[in-house]
Amino acid sequence: MEDLVEFQTLAVKRVCIFLTPLHYIYLRELSIRKFNKDISQTLLYLISKNLKYLYKIKQTHLKKTMTITYQPKTKEYQRYGIYIDPTLWAKFNHLRIYLGYSMSFIIRILIDWEMQEDTQNYRNSLIVFKPNLTDDEYLQLPSSPLHNYDWWCKVDLKDQRVFMKFIDSFY
């Protein structure tokens, strides 16, 4: 028996993220400067550029738990509404589970790394430092903006174990 379900998502979706005003302003300026005010395209650029680096800072295997790590608490964070492509937001959601960081924290890390490249004196404010890649890892960097990916999750309730597989097809 075959069951076929089709649906169509909205072109863009409004979501809320928590960032410092400095990070949000930088995200807006980057979107104005490079992507004609399209924050969704800006985030796509940031995630495509830094995907391999994100894989290197994965922490779920260290924590051995499904809990998400959030940004360090501070009174500077504000709630911002942004419009984003639903498929890209789904990618952030899957990365959230795979990496062990909240989506706002992943966006903050990406903005931090981009600000570090633009401004050399920004290094002191980084929460997560950009890891170094070997030559082999660097050659495997993707060339297309958004990649096809598979996310598979299996839960064994008897042993209370979670098995996850996240595959990003680069070519």
Side-chain angles (χ1 to χ4, degrees):
M1 182 174 155
E2 185 176 323
D3 186 18
L4 178 64
V5 177
E6 293 183 23
F7 60 91
Q8 182 178 359
T9 61
L10 297 172
V12 291
K13 177 181 178 181
R14 187 173 191 271
V15 296
C16 292
I17 58 173
F18 292 90
L19 294 174
T20 64
L22 173 70
H23 288 90
Y24 181 72
I25 289 169
Y26 184 81
L27 179 64
R28 295 279 303 160
E29 286 176 1
L30 186 63
S31 68
I32 291 168
R33 191 172 61 221
K34 291 187 176 182
F35 300 100
N36 199 21
K37 298 183 182 180
D38 190 351
I39 288 184
S40 188
Q41 285 295 318
T42 308
L43 291 175
L44 177 62
Y45 161 75
L46 290 175
I47 200 170
S48 298
K49 180 179 176 183
N50 297 301
L51 193 59
K52 269 296 197 186
Y53 298 103
L54 286 175
Y55 291 158
K56 293 278 280 192
I57 63 166
K58 178 179 118 172
Q59 69 168 2
T60 51
H61 64 289
L62 301 172
K63 294 183 346 178
K64 307 255 187 227
T65 166
M66 291 286 293
T67 59
I68 300 299
T69 301
Y70 293 92
Q71 303 178 70
K73 292 189 178 190
T74 177
K75 293 183 179 181
E76 294 178 20
Y77 288 117
Q78 293 181 7
R79 183 177 176 173
Y80 295 100
I82 61 170
Y83 290 93
I84 190 167
D85 185 342
T87 56
L88 181 59
W89 194 244
K91 173 101 174 181
F92 273 108
N93 189 33
H94 291 163
L95 280 173
R96 173 185 69 92
I97 295 168
Y98 181 74
L99 297 175
Y101 297 107
S102 70
M103 289 186 270
S104 292
F105 199 3
I106 294 170
I107 292 171
R108 161 86 189 264
I109 291 168
L110 292 171
I111 294 170
D112 274 346
W113 291 348
E114 189 69 20
M115 288 173 78
Q116 180 188 6
E117 289 180 11
D118 278 357
T119 312
Q120 295 301 326
N121 61 354
Y122 185 72
R123 190 165 182 80
N124 297 342
S125 301
L126 291 175
I127 292 178
V128 177
F129 288 94
K130 194 171 188 176
N132 294 324
L133 295 178
T134 64
D135 292 337
D136 291 336
E137 291 171 330
Y138 191 74
L139 290 175
Q140 292 177 4
L141 285 172
S143 57
S144 60
L146 186 62
H147 319 289
N148 293 328
Y149 65 96
D150 291 321
W151 181 66
W152 175 82
C153 185
K154 178 183 174 187
V155 178
D156 184 355
L157 296 175
K158 181 180 172 187
D159 295 333
Q160 293 183 340
R161 294 180 59 165
V162 177
F163 304 93
M164 281 192 293
K165 191 177 197 180
F166 186 79
I167 302 171
D168 206 333
S169 304
F170 294 110
Y171 302 106

